[in-house]
Each structure stands twice: as C-alpha cells, then as structure tokens.
Amino acid sequence: MTTSRTTRRDFIQLSAAALASTVIPQTGSATPAPDASWYDRPMRWAQLTLVEDDPGKYDPAFWLDYFRRTHSDAACLSAGGCVAYYPTRVPLHYRSKYLGDRDSFGQLVAGCRRLGMNVVARTDPHAAHHDVYDAHPDWIAVDAQGKKRKHWADSELWVTCALGPYNFEFMTDVTREIMRLYNVDGIFSNRWSGSGMCYCEHCRQNFKKFSGLDLPRTANPQDEARRQYLVWRQARLFELWRLWDAEIKKLNPHAGFIANAGGGALSELDMKTIGELAPTLFADRQARRGVMPPWANGKNGKEYAATLGNKAIAGIFSMGVEEPYRWKDSVQSGDEIRLWVVDGIAHNLRPWFTKFNGKVIDHRWIKVVEELYEWHFKNERYLRNERSLARVGVVFSQQTAAFYGGERAGARVEDHLLGFYQALVEARVPFDMVHDHLLDPAQIGRYRTLILPNIAALSSEQCRQLTEYVQGGGNLIATYETSLYDEWGVRRADFGLAPLFGASFTGRVETDIHNSYLTVEKDPRSSSFHPIVRGIEDATRIINGVNWVHVRPHTEPGYAPLTLVPSYPDLPMEQVFPRVARTDTPGVFARQVGRGRVVYFPFDLDRTFWEVLSADHGQVLKNAVEWASNEEQPLRVEGRGVMDVSLWMQKASITAHLVNLTNPMMMKGPIREIIPAPPQQVRIRIPEGRRVNKVHLLVSEKSPAYHHANGVVSLTIPSVELHEVIAIDLA
Ligand SMILES: [Zn+2]
C-alpha cells in the first residue's frame, strides 16, 4: 500500500507496536470497511502533528501503542504542505531536513492501518520556504502596501496566497500525490483558507473579473467592494474545496477533503454550504483562553450540529496552553483538559486529541487523555447520539455578523449570544443552536421556543418563516435590533418582525446609556406580577441594559412587566436622583400572537448580561424562556451549582449529561481542581409509548432508585464530580 522506506531502528520499534496490538486486540473497532460511510465510524480521534525535527528523533512505536491503548479508531497525521514527512516528488514540496531516507508519514499510516484505524492526512499550505518565493513570487501573499508577506512567526518562511495558484495548482498536486501513495480516507487541511486579506496579482485580477471592482481597502461591510469581496472570497474557497474533494475522489471515491473550517456566527464560510459539502467535520477549538467559560466547547458542538445535523463531528482539543503566546510544548492542568473534553462530549462532539511534537516533553497529559478515552470507549453505546431532545433553539446568524457586525461583530453580535447562552446554562435549559439559513419547518418544527439574540440582519423570507413558525404555535424571544436590518445589513424603516413584537421602530437607537433602570410593574387589573419578573418582585426596579431601541407599541400602552426609568446623572452624587421617576415605556413586550407566545426586549438585555452578569438579568432571561415555552423542559435538574446539561436519544436509550461547571475558575481557566456538586434532583421526560428498562449512572457506575410516572423519570443524584451521565435503557 505504501512506498514506505523505514530505517532499521524505526522498523524494530514499529514491529514492537504491531506485536503489542496483536496481543491485545482492539475490541471496539473492526478494520474499516472500504465504503463511503466510514465517516460515522470513528468515535475517538488521535492527531499527531509532527515538527520538522521529529523524523529519526521521536518514537513512533510509543504513539502507535498510545493510539491502541486509548481505543482511538481514527488518526490524523502530518503529511505535507509546509513540510513533507514522506519522500515527495512534487517540485518545491519541501521535505523535512531530518527525513533522510525515511517515510515518517507512511510508517505511521501503516501502523494505524494495522490497528484498524481510519487515517486522514494533514496538510498545511499557509507557509512556504524561500525556494517557492524564488520560483513563483506570485504564489506569495501581498499586504495592503503591496509588499510580499513574511511569516509573522518564522522569518525564514513566506505566507502563501490561499486563493491563487499555490493552492489551486501546487497543493492540488500535493493532495493527489498523498492520495496516490497512501490511499488515505481523507485529507484534512489546516490554515488552508488564507491568512487575512491578500492583494497579490491573482487576487486583484480574479476579483476584478468577478465584480468589476478593485480589492477593498476597508473592512466596512457597507462598502460595495468589501461586500463583493466577502462573497467572492467565499465562492473561491468553496471552489477550492470542491476541486480538492473531486481530485481526492478520483483516486479513492470513499475518501474526501475535510477542511479545517466552520463555527458560529463569527466564522467566515457559510455553515449551510459547509453542512452540505462536508461528510464530517472537526471543530478545532483546542482549549480555553482569556475569559472563556468551559461551556464554550459544547457551544462549538451545537454550532456545527446546526448545519451538519447528525453527521459525526469531532471536537479537537489540545493539551497545550492556548493563550496568545502559544506555548505549544507545555500542557495545562489535567482537570482543565477533562472539563473541556467532557463538555464537548455532552454536546455530541467526538473527542479528538491533538499533540504537537512527537517527542514527548511533558508527560502529564498522557494519563488524562487515556482515562477520558477509556471511559468514552466503555460507554460508546450511550454516546452514539441519534438526536437531541432539546425543545429550545438559539438562532445564530453569520450574515448578521458579517454585514451588520462587521469589524465589531464580537461586541455587536456574538456578545448577545454569549449572554443568552450563559443565562440558559445557569437556568439549566437543554438547548440546540439553529442556523438562520435553516428556518424551514423541517428544521425548526421540533422546537417549542426559538431565541433570537439580536439577530439584526434577516431577509424578508426569513421573517416570513419566523412569522409562520409563531402562527403555527411556536414561541419566540428576541432582543434589541432583531430584524431591523435586511440580509445585507441595510437598516429597514421598521422591524421585519414588527407584527410579532407588537412594536415599531421610531428611528432612534441610544447606545452606551449610563445609570438607567427598569421598574418592576404589577398588573393594575389583577394586582399581580407577570411571570417574566418572577423572583424580582420586591426589587421595585432593576438595572437597565446599555443600548436601547426606541419603539412605539402598536396598541395603547397597557400593562408592561418592566418599564423604563430614563438615564439620569451619576455624578456629582448630589445630582443622582431620577428626573422622571416612572414612564409607561415598555422594557419588554410579552404577548400571545396567534397560537404562539412572543417576548421582545427592545434593549440589549442579553449583551449586558454577558458584560455585567447581573443576577436580575439572568433571572429575567430565564423567566422569559419559561413563560414563552409554557411547558416543563424535557430535562430538569434542580440543585446548587452551575450545570451544563443536555439530553440525547440513542437507538434504544436516552442520556442526560450533567457537566459540573461549579468552580472558582469557571469564567477563566485553567481550573485547579474539581469541586463536587451537592445532590441534584433530576426529571427526564420519556418519549411517549416507551417503557423504561433500566436507569444507570455512567460515571459513578451506580444504578440509582428512580420513579417513573406520568411519562417522567425522576431520581436524585447524590453528588456530581466532573460530570454525570444518566443513561435510561428503553424497552
Ligand atoms: Zn492573493
């Protein structure tokens, strides 16, 4: 199968690994069947990213044995691109200086095949050596000043243009050669989509041909050239994706190109198209950095699943420290790795460890990953999810990020989502993510409630779909400027969803408001509070958000559970008193529309929650979901602490995941230790007509007492360490 030329030393080590693998058979995986459906087979991935001086210096037998011990059933291995780890014959394809007469890649491929693993070759085309620059200066990326770009981290290297002949011709040759020599199951390309704007001659000419315009010099998405550029670049990258995939399939119809691409609202390539193109996908979010809660890994899983549906999605995690200083050779605390990985697993990511450098420097991660994979292997049956049972969907919108958010998409778009996400985690509501290009009834019909956290840019068609959803009995929660812009980020005269909100735009948006409040109001007719303000009835007033859309209610202002107290001076202290004590300006519209319930907050409640984390705001967001949904969630977990929860259906079972995020290092890792959560009362709704055979806990390995009545299984979990998975076997 391969043309591997191994040295004697490598050969002896490899034989030892092969021998070991025959002594202890892989119980979990059969030899991959040569058909198109391999993509769903691997449950656990292993990635070894070689560094240039690995050949001859690292121990391949260690790695192959580790793959076996961890029951990894697929591997991603460094093949070529920036550095080739096999005896390539493609001109200008740089071979590792340390390769000698070895075939390091081929040797690992052969070892993995003997272990029954699927193998994907890794390429990385983003950097090239000086001989490439000399031979094809036009393959190098050019900056806005017209200068060829040196690599930012290694001055020996050049940054390549992703949209020109370097990728379309040279890397296509590399791709073909790898497939021809090793017949791998796929090619996974890292950093294949470019490293920022390129002004090279190919980009200039191709863009001109496409749009008639010069390349943009601004990042403003309302600039015509910039807007066209976003469309062109995307089209060009999908063209490249299809080219590589077609070339791969010519040599092995069961293999494919798998791009390192995808993500949430801030990701660049349209996830709907990716969902159609990709047979499987790998979420490359290796660890926490900065201020980031551990649920961010589960969020990746949900975002990918929004357009990939039930296709296998692996979650790439690294042991490394992912801060901007990129200490690639160190590792982080074991519990931090554990928490990140189990949160991904709870949201249907198949674990994929990646390690840079074949020479193990810090050994502490080895046991951690082995234990995680051992548990995963043992409980694999309960981790092969068929569908999520969540009844709440949170919409995310790449077009809102690109055309409304632009360079400020993080603050204007993503922070709204993060705030709502945090509130839902705190409220322990199981939920999925929904892509805004998939709002047809087949996609959203399963959700009782849809949440639109400032989904500002929506087309008329999308607004129509959402209106139909509500008319058909769906419930909807929206915040701030949702639907105030069209799909290109151009402001409308009024919200596209004004009839649902029961309010219209007056033309004014206030931002950066200081010292403003919301009065908690009692309904004068019934003398009672609305469920949306439950838990804060005694507050009289709570803090407002900081960005406000002025709206005009469609009907006489009746009762609003929250009303605006306008901003007043916050200094000097003598002046800090409200000039207008009370208004009838609603801070929330909560109404019945047809058969559905709609809640609209004309301010940035979700974004402010992310920034300030006021418990009152969290409570109002939670109440809004509860009131709009008007049903008990299919999974209810009550007890102290912060739990990220999910609920899944497998072939003959249901699993509820409880990930214990209760930790002083929750909002900023790495965690030092796991703090066990106290008892939790759990209620799980059982699909109608199904009988329960057995309830067991997959982490503590106990079979708890449970009660099954009225379609609900209830039980108490005495304690949750890192996580617990409740498995319910159905008859
Ligand atoms: Zn270019």
Side-chain angles (χ1 to χ4, degrees):
M1 178 177 58
T2 73
T3 58
S4 80
R5 282 181 286 168
T6 48
T7 64
R8 191 178 145 70
R9 179 170 165 270
D10 285 345
F11 180 74
I12 290 165
Q13 285 168 340
L14 197 61
S15 306
L19 182 69
S21 73
T22 53
V23 175
I24 305 164
Q26 282 284 100
T27 43
S29 27
T31 303
D35 62 31
S37 63
W38 77 264
Y39 301 106
D40 191 39
R41 193 190 77 98
M43 289 296 283
R44 287 159 301 280
W45 282 79
Q47 177 179 358
L48 174 57
T49 304
L50 296 175
V51 296
E52 188 178 348
D53 76 342
D54 274 336
K57 291 192 183 175
Y58 87 114
D59 178 4
F62 161 80
W63 287 99
L64 290 168
D65 185 54
Y66 191 67
F67 296 170
R68 180 190 57 77
R69 283 191 344 249
T70 51
H71 308 278
S72 295
D73 33 31
C76 176
L77 303 168
S78 298
C82 181
V83 174
Y85 294 97
Y86 66 94
T88 176
R89 298 215 169 142
V90 174
L92 295 171
H93 192 202
Y94 176 89
R95 285 190 205 191
S96 157
K97 286 199 285 282
Y98 303 83
L99 195 64
D101 61 354
R102 294 180 193 86
D103 179 357
S104 297
F105 171 66
Q107 182 186 24
L108 284 173
V109 172
C112 288
R113 290 302 197 196
R114 277 195 292 275
L115 292 171
M117 297 169 79
N118 289 103
V119 178
V120 162
R122 176 186 185 273
T123 61
D124 188 329
H126 88 281
H129 287 77
H130 198 75
D131 55 343
V132 174
Y133 174 97
D134 285 338
H136 295 278
D138 61 305
W139 288 3
I140 307 302
V142 172
D143 68 15
Q145 284 72 45
K147 280 194 4 224
K148 306 239 181 253
R149 288 180 61 193
K150 283 225 151 149
H151 197 280
W152 58 90
D154 184 341
S155 59
E156 304 279 290
L157 298 177
W158 294 92
V159 177
T160 57
C161 168
L163 307 175
Y166 177 78
N167 264 351
F168 278 84
E169 293 166 20
F170 171 75
M171 281 307 296
T172 304
D173 287 343
V174 170
T175 299
R176 280 197 206 104
E177 184 183 63
I178 294 168
M179 286 308 300
R180 211 172 42 241
L181 293 177
Y182 303 100
N183 195 32
V184 286
D185 298 311
I187 304 259
F188 175 64
S189 234
N190 191 50
R191 290 185 181 266
W192 65 286
S193 60
S195 313
M197 220 29 226
C198 174
Y199 293 88
C200 78
E201 56 193 276
H202 300 289
C203 287
R204 276 188 282 130
Q205 283 160 17
N206 288 330
F207 182 65
K208 188 96 177 193
K209 218 185 301 163
F210 172 83
S211 67
L213 300 167
D214 290 329
L215 285 166
R217 300 269 163 181
T218 167
N220 177 7
Q222 293 314 305
D223 176 85
E224 184 55 24
R226 175 70 185 168
R227 196 187 278 183
Q228 291 288 327
Y229 175 79
L230 293 175
V231 175
W232 170 73
R233 179 174 172 273
Q234 176 147 244
R236 192 84 180 132
L237 287 171
F238 281 131
E239 192 187 330
L240 182 61
W241 184 319
R242 291 188 173 97
L243 168 71
W244 285 347
D245 193 54
E247 290 304 312
I248 290 168
K249 284 188 164 55
K250 279 183 198 163
L251 294 160
N252 176 357
H254 308 306
F257 173 65
I258 305 160
N260 189 348
L266 302 184
S267 68
E268 290 177 321
L269 293 181
D270 174 44
M271 281 299 285
K272 179 167 181 269
T273 310
I274 288 180
E276 291 156 7
L277 278 177
T280 181
L281 211 57
F282 315 135
D284 189 8
R285 303 290 187 282
Q286 301 185 1
R288 291 206 270 174
R289 62 151 67 183
V291 176
M292 185 189 276
W295 52 246
N297 201 24
K299 177 170 172 278
N300 298 325
K302 296 187 199 207
E303 284 162 345
Y304 278 69
T307 65
L308 273 104
N310 207 27
K311 290 177 188 171
I313 304 160
I316 302 179
F317 66 96
S318 85
M319 279 55 80
V321 184
E322 286 300 308
E323 297 291 346
Y325 311 98
R326 296 177 61 83
W327 296 283
K328 307 309 288 180
D329 273 337
S330 192
V331 301
Q332 41 185 332
S333 81
D335 283 339
E336 176 66 25
I337 297 171
R338 287 186 186 96
L339 182 57
W340 187 252
V341 174
V342 301
D343 197 72
I345 292 170
H347 299 290
N348 208 21
L349 287 177
R350 299 185 184 183
W352 164 319
F353 77 78
T354 180
K355 192 73 193 82
F356 299 86
N357 197 343
K359 305 172 288 299
V360 180
I361 296 166
D362 188 327
H363 293 253
R364 290 173 293 176
W365 64 274
I366 293 172
K367 194 85 195 136
V368 174
V369 173
E370 200 172 336
E371 284 167 6
L372 282 165
Y373 275 42
E374 189 68 47
W375 177 83
H376 194 274
F377 172 69
K378 194 170 152 191
N379 296 291
E380 185 176 307
R381 180 157 74 92
Y382 294 105
L383 300 167
R384 233 174 222 290
N385 299 319
E386 304 227 309
R387 65 191 170 94
S388 158
L389 294 173
R391 297 274 285 159
V392 171
V394 178
V395 177
F396 68 105
S397 169
Q398 292 174 279
Q399 75 191 18
T400 296
F403 299 115
Y404 159 87
E407 279 190 300
R408 292 174 54 223
R412 297 192 76 196
V413 180
E414 186 71 356
D415 283 357
H416 288 263
L417 171 64
L418 294 172
F420 227 125
Y421 202 112
Q422 170 71 19
L424 290 167
V425 170
E426 287 188 34
R428 301 164 166 208
V429 172
F431 66 99
D432 295 340
M433 302 275 290
V434 174
H435 193 271
D436 69 335
H437 287 182
L438 293 170
L439 295 177
D440 48 291
Q443 296 286 335
I444 59 175
R446 78 187 95 140
Y447 299 114
R448 174 90 174 164
T449 303
L450 280 188
I451 294 170
L452 286 81
N454 194 30
I455 305 300
L458 287 170
S459 69
S460 306
E461 171 61 11
Q462 289 171 310
C463 292
R464 190 193 57 75
Q465 289 175 316
L466 290 165
T467 304
E468 262 179 25
Y469 169 76
V470 172
Q471 282 164 347
N475 308 305
L476 188 141
I477 303 169
T479 64
Y480 196 47
E481 294 190 295
T482 294
S483 79
L484 191 54
Y485 292 74
D486 72 10
E487 67 271 39
W488 293 103
V490 176
R491 193 154 103 178
R492 292 192 167 97
D494 196 1
F495 303 105
L497 296 176
L500 294 188
F501 297 168
S504 283
F505 183 49
T506 64
R508 194 155 76 94
V509 179
E510 258 185 284
T511 57
D512 199 27
I513 304 166
H514 288 218
N515 199 37
S516 165
Y517 299 83
L518 296 161
T519 305
V520 180
E521 304 273 5
K522 203 182 254 186
D523 187 343
R525 288 162 305 183
S526 64
S527 300
S528 58
F529 289 98
H530 193 281
I532 273 191
V533 294
R534 194 174 54 80
I536 53 167
E537 296 92 340
D538 290 340
T540 309
R541 60 187 199 180
I542 62 170
I543 63 169
N544 194 358
V546 299
N547 297 308
W548 186 279
V549 188
H550 287 270
V551 300
R552 178 179 44 76
H554 288 172
T555 53
E556 278 299 294
Y559 165 59
L562 293 167
T563 56
L564 174 70
V565 180
S567 167
Y568 49 90
D570 58 63
L571 265 180
M573 295 315 290
E574 291 79 355
Q575 294 306 314
V576 185
F577 60 92
R579 303 307 192 268
V580 184
R582 195 151 172 205
T583 67
D584 58 6
T585 308
V588 60
F589 294 79
R591 44 202 298 271
Q592 188 81 36
V593 181
R595 290 167 49 217
R597 286 180 170 185
V598 176
V599 180
Y600 170 61
F601 296 99
F603 67 104
D604 61 342
L605 175 63
D606 38 15
R607 197 213 60 79
T608 306
F609 181 56
W610 185 240
E611 185 181 350
V612 179
L613 286 172
S614 156
D616 295 339
H617 287 174
Q619 182 71 41
V620 171
L621 289 166
K622 175 185 180 204
N623 291 343
V625 176
E626 227 166 79
W627 181 77
S629 293
N630 197 21
E631 69 171 14
E632 185 176 315
Q633 295 299 331
L635 167 65
R636 225 170 95 180
V637 183
E638 288 181 319
R640 293 170 71 184
V642 187
M643 287 289 162
D644 191 7
V645 303
S646 64
L647 189 64
W648 296 95
M649 184 92 191
Q650 299 83 39
K651 258 195 177 59
S653 56
I654 292 177
T655 50
H657 290 248
L658 281 57
V659 182
N660 177 18
L661 307 186
T662 316
N663 203 285
M665 302 295 160
M666 177 192 158
M667 299 308 278
K668 188 187 180 328
I671 66 168
R672 275 57 168 156
E673 59 176 340
I674 289 153
I675 316 285
Q680 306 289 319
Q681 270 74 49
V682 181
R683 288 168 57 82
I684 301 169
R685 197 192 303 159
I686 304 301
E688 244 169 84
R690 302 299 294 264
R691 276 204 356 260
V692 170
N693 264 353
K694 188 182 169 192
V695 177
H696 46 140
L697 307 178
L698 301 183
V699 179
S700 58
E701 300 189 324
K702 293 193 173 93
S703 297
Y706 69 94
H707 184 69
H708 184 192
N710 306 319
V712 173
V713 162
S714 42
L715 67 152
T716 299
I717 309 285
S719 175
V720 182
E721 292 274 335
L722 173 64
H723 67 141
E724 188 54 272
V725 182
I726 304 159
I728 302 178
D729 293 331
L730 300 173

